[in-house]
């Protein structure tokens, strides 16, 4: 397998009257052909902004990529002209946006939106595009695909809009799909159908998938690698097994503990991570998780832990990562 | 709202509204058919989308009813009909002895405060030109919940932090926030006017599991403290299991099963409910990689031309001949366990 995407030390910031929001604060990771990388992390920690940065879709002003490089199939995306970037978007890298209504045009029919994209990127005629669109809508589990083409977004249910977005992303057979919460509005059976569909693309065509999701069950089933983010940084990364069975960062551990599980007895109360997420305009020189961390020591106030290897392919940014192992062993 | 002062540890048993408790809302025979039109200038109706096709349920005061079902089966439309955002084709909605369909605008006014909704799509339900603080305080002003300005400002801050957001967000605009942050603004806005009934339409789906846990605990605490009633629409069956007293399962505009939460999860009877429960992914890669997933096979049926007989029969593994003929009666097979299937 070869590297399709390489992100190195990416920093994306928003310059607002209330200060500089350090939404993405130095993240690096690679994605290989055919690989599925999941990104998980607290709401507001920079997952969507990091994805939008790859596609150069950060609204400027107030936002800007201030540092770092993103290379896709060996090309540095920052050096492409706007025209070249437009070709990459949709054709080579497709994005499923978190909120479908932000990217579907409310005054155009579903059919027009899909067929236009198809015609533009694949150079096929209207009739052929219609046929493809119907086929795609069927694949993502929409009823009456033909009639849907004539409908407007507000005629569709939340999950149907989400599936239109997914159909659009798949339409041009991209090399990389970035899916931001692609299945939140879908019931579990359709969710399974769509994730299997995407997984098959990764197996058969070597398409790579970056999937941002809060659903730890989906991550467990589909991800080859999991990046856990907190306050603009990747704080742990490893295989799904590493992350679920051998977490080496206190935030990851807390995250795993807060999810209600169907295979376990119901709890009286769920266990959220106590405390507030940090203010991204006021990050200091210490670890940003320390105010909420049960393992924090003095050193955590003074310096930011680097990502260090704990085992092959498993990295964590915590000074006390070995303590965590002991604590986990003691509790099991 | 002194939620923090509530005891965090509660008994396993959830406080349940007792049987005799008053019914707060009763929906009977609700239908919502959307016309399908053709023609650009002279439009004519060629068919109808049967988004809801005769559903009935009730919710007691203090109870949480979960509503689950396939994407597009009519859950959001049900909520919109209760709020009279759609004019139902047929059926009746009685809320606290008021027939909602027959109320005048004037009579609706107080109800707009008593009934709140957390919309499925946070982005399009927040005014992009208003600051978060104003979005949350506007309904307080409209419904006279908090009289003076400073009290409203204080309450906005309180609500934001209850939902896990820094009070500083009051000065931001919706587009300056992440998806989950926006969703919590919708929750804070719904709570602002101290409602008694909240329709939560995928209210926590954009939140990570930790903040989701925080918001669910908040909803539970409010329910215990103020006896709130929820209609909780969600695709997350583990969340539904955690929060709800009873659960209704919908498929293609109809309720196919309705039972107490534990009963439904321990003893699902309708084949569609079983398929749903078996498809829930478990957050454990070792378990997940060994599990065979049963995907519901077959074409997703059209709500314009629903299948004859039982609407689920073309995709049902247990279907027999008669399933395609008569519509199965929604019957009580055990006390409080209702199901629309002849083969159980
Ligand atoms: N235009 C903007 N101006 C100021 N801050 C912004 C802007 N856009 C995003 N942010 C902030 O950047 C941070 C990262 O946002 P992002 O959308 O990446 O979060 P996320 O991890 O995707 O969260 P969620 O899970 O809730 O979608 C958030 O704290 C958000 O408030
Ligand atoms: N204004 C409308 N005009 C025509 N059809 C509509 C309209 N609103 C909803 N529908 C249709 O009604 C059906 C039910 O939609 P609804 O939004 O209630 O589904 P849902 O159960 O909330 O689904 P999801 O889980 O995907 O949000 C769908 O087939 C949808 O296309
Ligand atoms: Mg996001
Ligand atoms: Mg809906």
């Amino acid at each position: 397998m070869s590297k399709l995407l390489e992100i190195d030390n990416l920093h994306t910031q928003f310059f607002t009257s209330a200060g500089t929001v350090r939404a993405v604060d130095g993240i690096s990771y690679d994605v290989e052909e055919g690989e599925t990388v999941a990104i998980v992390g607290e709401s507001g920690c920079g997952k969507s902004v990091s994805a939008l940065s790859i596609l150069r879709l950060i609204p400027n002003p107030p936002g800007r990529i201030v540092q770092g490089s993103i290379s896709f199939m060996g090309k540095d995306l920052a050096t492409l002209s706007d025209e070249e970037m437009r070709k990459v978007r949709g054709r080579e890298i497709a994005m499923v946006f978190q909120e479908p209504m932000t990217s579907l045009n409310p005054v155009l029919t579903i059919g027009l939106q899909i067929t236009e994209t198809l015609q533009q990127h694949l150079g096929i005629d209207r009739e052929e595009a219609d046929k493809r669109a119907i086929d795609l809508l069927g694949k993502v589990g929409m009823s009456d695909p033909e009639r849907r083409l004539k409908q407007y977004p507000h005629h569709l249910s939340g999950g149907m809009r989400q599936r239109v977005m997914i159909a659009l992303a798949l339409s041009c057979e991209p090399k990389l799909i970035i899916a931001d919460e692609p299945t939140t509005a879908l019931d579990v059976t359709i969710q399974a159908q769509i994730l299997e569909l995407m997984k098959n693309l990764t197996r058969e065509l070597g398409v790579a998938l970056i999937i941002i999701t809060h659903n730890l069950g989906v991550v467990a089933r589909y991800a080859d690698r999991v990046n856990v983010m907190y306050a603009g940084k990747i704080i742990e990364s490893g295989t799904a097994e590493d992350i679920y069975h051998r977490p080496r960062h206190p935030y990851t551990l807390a995250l795993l503990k807060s999810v209600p599980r169907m295979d376990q007895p119901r709890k009286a109360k769920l266990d959220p991570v106590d405390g507030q997420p940090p203010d991204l305009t006021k990050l200091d020189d210490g670890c940003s998780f320390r105010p909420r961390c049960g393992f924090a020591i003095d050193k955590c106030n003074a310096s930011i832990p680097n990502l260090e290897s704990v085992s092959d392919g498993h990295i964590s940014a915590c000074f006390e990562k070995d303590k965590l192992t002991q604590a986990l062993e003691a509790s099991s | 709202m002194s939620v923090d002062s509530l005891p965090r540890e509660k008994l396993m048993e959830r406080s349940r509204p007792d049987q005799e408790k008053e019914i707060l809302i009763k929906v009977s025979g609700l239908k919502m058919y959307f016309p399908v039109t053709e023609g650009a200038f002279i439009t004519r109706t060629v068919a109808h989308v049967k988004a809801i096709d005769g559903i009935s349920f009730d919710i007691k005061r203090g109870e949480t009813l979960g509503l689950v079902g396939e994407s597009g089966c009519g859950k959001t439309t049900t909520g919109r009909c209760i709020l009279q955002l759609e004019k139902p084709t047929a059926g009746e909605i009685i809320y606290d002895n008021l027939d909602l369909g027959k109320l005048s605008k004037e009579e609706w006014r107080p109800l707009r405060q008593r009934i709140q909704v957390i919309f499925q799509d946070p982005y399009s339900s927040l005014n992009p030109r208003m600051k978060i603080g104003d979005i949350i305080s506007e309904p307080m002003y409209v419904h006279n919940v908090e009289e003076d300005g400073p009290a409203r400002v204080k309450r906005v801050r309180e609500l934001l932090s209850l939902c896990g957001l820094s009070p500083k967000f009051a000065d931001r605009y919706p587009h300056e926030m992440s998806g989950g942050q926006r969703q919590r603004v919708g929750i804070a806005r719904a709570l602002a006017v101290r409602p008694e009934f909240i329709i939560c339409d995928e209210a926590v789906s954009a939140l990570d599991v930790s903040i989701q846990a925080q918001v669910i605990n908040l909803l539970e605490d409010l329910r215990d403290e103020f006896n709130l009633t929820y209609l909780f629409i969600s695709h997350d069956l583990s969340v539904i299991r955690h929060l709800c007293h009873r659960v209704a399962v919908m498929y293609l505009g109809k309720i196919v099963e309705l039972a107490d939460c534990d009963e439904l999860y321990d003893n699902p009877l309708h084949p569609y409910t079983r398929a749903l429960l078996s498809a829930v992914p478990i957050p454990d890669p070792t378990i997940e990689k060994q599990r065979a997933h049963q995907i519901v096979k077959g074409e997703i049926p059209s709500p314009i031309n629903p299948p004859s007989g039982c609407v689920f029969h073309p995709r049902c593994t247990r279907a027999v001949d008669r399933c395609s003929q008569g519509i199965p009666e929604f019957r009580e097979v055990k006390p409080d366990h209702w199901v629309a299937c002849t083969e159980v």
Side-chain angles (χ1 to χ4, degrees):
Chain A
M1 280 198 275
S2 60
K3 299 248 183 299
L4 188 68
L5 180 75
E6 296 177 75
I7 300 178
D8 186 37
N9 199 23
L10 178 72
H11 291 253
T12 306
Q13 303 181 345
F14 294 95
F15 300 91
T16 70
S17 54
T20 302
V21 180
R22 283 154 68 180
V24 175
D25 200 32
I27 66 170
S28 308
Y29 65 92
D30 300 338
V31 182
E32 287 171 8
E33 263 172 41
E35 192 181 27
T36 301
V37 175
I39 301 181
V40 301
E42 187 156 61
S43 173
C45 73
K47 303 179 297 295
S48 300
V49 171
S50 72
L52 294 171
S53 301
I54 297 174
L55 290 169
R56 287 189 15 203
L57 287 175
I58 298 295
N60 177 7
R64 196 154 52 84
I65 297 178
V66 293
Q67 199 185 326
S69 72
I70 300 166
S71 117
F72 176 71
M73 301 204 301
K75 282 182 293 222
D76 181 354
L77 292 186
T79 61
L80 298 189
S81 68
D82 287 351
E83 184 53 36
E84 286 168 321
M85 194 62 213
R86 247 195 302 280
K87 282 200 189 115
V88 170
R89 241 180 265 144
R91 184 74 190 90
E92 290 175 60
I93 307 179
M95 171 114 190
V96 180
F97 293 92
Q98 184 168 10
E99 284 156 298
M101 281 314 253
T102 57
S103 49
L104 289 176
N105 188 333
V107 300
L108 296 182
T109 62
I110 301 301
L112 203 62
Q113 301 191 48
I114 303 182
T115 48
E116 241 177 27
T117 313
L118 283 168
Q119 286 177 285
Q120 193 184 357
H121 285 299
L122 302 182
I124 52 180
D125 64 19
R126 180 66 197 269
E127 207 175 322
E128 174 68 23
D130 269 349
K131 263 216 300 259
R132 279 236 200 177
I134 291 169
D135 178 53
L136 277 165
L137 289 181
K139 273 200 178 130
V140 294
M142 297 269 276
S143 61
D144 301 326
E146 243 158 288
R147 181 174 59 90
R148 299 292 174 199
L149 294 184
K150 293 189 210 127
Q151 288 191 306
Y152 293 89
H154 70 268
H155 291 143
L156 304 185
S157 80
M160 291 172 177
R161 288 178 203 147
Q162 205 162 33
R163 280 174 281 164
V164 169
M165 292 283 310
I166 294 170
L168 265 171
L170 302 180
S171 66
C172 297
E173 292 163 6
K175 302 239 173 14
L176 171 68
I177 300 173
I178 306 177
D180 194 352
E181 302 286 356
T183 60
T184 43
L186 302 179
D187 63 278
V188 285
T189 62
I190 292 180
Q191 172 179 302
Q193 179 182 344
I194 285 185
L195 290 169
E196 288 298 334
L197 179 71
M198 292 209 212
K199 196 73 196 170
N200 286 341
L201 291 178
T202 65
R203 287 197 199 105
E204 286 159 19
L205 304 174
V207 173
L209 190 60
I210 298 177
I211 177 164
I212 300 175
T213 180
H214 293 310
N215 188 328
L216 295 177
V218 166
V219 176
R221 186 165 176 83
Y222 295 100
D224 299 313
R225 162 166 294 277
V226 185
N227 291 335
V228 186
M229 281 184 72
Y230 188 81
K233 291 190 164 62
I234 292 177
I235 49 96
E236 184 166 7
S237 171
T239 62
E241 280 81 4
D242 286 338
I243 298 293
Y244 286 75
H245 298 318
R246 297 174 288 278
R248 287 293 177 272
H249 194 286
Y251 174 68
T252 313
L253 190 64
L255 196 65
L256 292 171
K257 274 207 339 221
S258 54
V259 60
R261 286 178 63 152
M262 290 276 288
D263 59 338
Q264 285 172 4
R266 199 175 58 223
K267 294 185 198 166
K269 276 278 168 190
L270 298 175
D271 299 315
V273 188
D274 285 331
Q276 294 271 351
D279 183 343
L280 297 181
T281 59
K282 292 217 174 76
L283 298 179
D284 59 14
D285 295 334
C287 169
S288 38
F289 189 57
R290 73 181 187 280
R292 308 168 77 183
C293 180
F295 294 84
I297 50 172
D298 280 351
K299 196 175 175 190
C300 307
N301 293 320
S303 52
I304 298 173
N306 287 323
L307 278 167
E308 283 168 6
S309 166
V310 288
S311 66
D312 192 23
H314 184 185
I315 49 177
S316 158
C318 176
F319 294 125
E320 291 287 272
K321 50 185 174 298
D322 299 328
K323 275 267 175 55
L324 213 65
T325 322
Q326 291 157 19
L328 266 180
E329 272 163 11
S331 73
S332 66
Chain B
M1 224 183 298
S2 57
V3 168
D4 283 340
S5 61
L6 291 175
R8 299 307 294 181
E9 284 305 317
K10 290 240 176 60
L11 291 173
M12 222 5 247
E13 264 308 296
R14 280 172 296 194
S15 53
R16 253 208 82 87
D18 47 70
Q19 295 301 315
E20 295 85 58
K21 266 236 172 113
E22 119 198 57
I23 286 174
L24 181 65
I25 180 165
K26 186 169 176 61
V27 172
S28 351
L30 185 68
K31 290 187 182 173
M32 181 69 229
Y33 293 178
F34 293 105
V36 179
T37 53
E38 249 173 33
F41 300 107
I42 308 158
T43 54
R44 62 196 173 94
T45 302
V46 291
H48 283 98
V49 176
K50 296 180 177 165
I52 310 179
D53 202 11
I55 63 170
S56 305
F57 61 86
D58 55 36
I59 315 179
K60 299 191 185 71
R61 197 180 277 279
E63 188 182 39
T64 302
L65 177 72
L67 190 57
V68 304
E70 194 158 55
S71 167
C73 71
K75 304 178 296 296
T76 298
T77 307
T78 303
R80 290 178 59 86
C81 285
I82 294 176
L83 293 162
Q84 303 289 313
L85 295 173
E86 308 283 356
K87 185 105 199 70
T89 313
E92 198 179 52
I93 302 167
I94 307 288
Y95 183 88
D96 201 14
N97 298 319
L98 299 167
D99 186 338
L100 294 188
K102 299 214 171 87
L103 296 186
S104 67
K105 254 207 165 111
E106 253 333 283
E107 290 166 310
W108 248 104
R109 262 187 74 82
L111 285 175
R112 296 243 172 263
Q113 177 255 317
R114 292 168 66 191
I115 308 179
Q116 285 293 313
V117 57
I118 303 166
F119 288 101
Q120 179 169 14
D121 188 342
Y123 188 77
S124 38
S125 72
L126 303 179
N127 185 338
R129 278 175 289 276
M130 272 166 81
K131 284 190 175 167
I132 302 305
D134 299 330
I135 289 178
I136 299 173
S137 65
E138 188 188 38
M140 292 193 246
Y141 175 73
V142 171
H143 294 293
N144 254 321
V145 173
E146 214 65 73
E147 317 274 295
D148 60 315
R152 283 201 293 274
V153 172
K154 182 163 166 278
R155 193 160 155 74
V156 166
R157 300 173 67 90
E158 232 171 66
L159 285 161
L160 283 173
S161 51
L162 276 175
C163 296
L165 291 173
S166 147
K168 282 176 72 177
F169 279 104
D171 288 326
R172 293 227 189 147
Y173 289 95
H175 71 268
E176 297 175 320
M177 304 181 89
S178 79
Q181 289 166 343
R182 275 198 284 267
Q183 188 162 51
R184 282 175 281 162
V185 172
I187 298 172
R189 177 178 59 182
L191 297 177
V193 294
R194 302 200 168 88
E196 58 183 9
F197 176 50
I198 308 181
I199 300 173
C200 309
D201 194 354
E202 297 291 349
V204 296
S205 61
L207 306 180
D208 67 277
V209 288
S210 161
I211 289 184
Q212 183 175 299
Q214 182 182 347
V215 170
I216 289 171
N217 286 347
L218 170 68
L219 293 177
E220 274 185 310
D221 290 344
L222 292 172
R223 180 172 73 193
D224 295 346
E225 197 175 6
F226 302 106
N227 205 23
L228 294 195
T229 308
Y230 301 118
L231 174 62
F232 197 87
I233 302 172
S234 177
H235 287 305
D236 191 328
L237 293 158
S238 356
V239 168
I240 292 269
R241 171 170 173 255
H242 181 83
L243 193 68
C244 297
H245 299 113
R246 279 189 307 146
V247 182
V249 182
M250 273 183 87
Y251 184 83
L252 207 67
K254 291 199 158 67
I255 293 182
V256 295
E257 188 160 3
L258 177 69
D260 267 2
C261 185
D262 287 340
E263 166 71 10
L264 189 98
Y265 282 81
D266 295 342
N267 192 12
L269 293 177
H270 197 281
Y272 177 63
T273 313
R274 293 185 177 202
L276 263 189
L277 290 177
S278 76
V280 177
I282 306 289
D284 182 321
T286 318
I287 299 178
E288 264 310 314
K289 280 177 187 147
Q290 285 158 2
R291 236 156 60 108
H293 275 240
Q294 176 198 349
I295 292 182
V296 190
K297 292 204 180 60
E299 284 278 298
I300 310 250
S302 151
I304 293 185
N305 275 317
S308 63
C310 167
V311 284
F312 189 57
H313 88 265
R315 304 171 75 195
C316 181
T317 48
R318 303 164 99 204
V320 294
D321 280 350
R322 65 172 160 167
C323 296
S324 60
Q325 288 141 26
I327 293 174
E329 184 199 350
F330 192 53
R331 61 200 170 103
E332 192 170 18
V333 287
K334 268 194 247 174
D336 294 325
H337 193 155
W338 295 73
V339 62
C341 177
T342 49
E343 299 305 300
V344 296

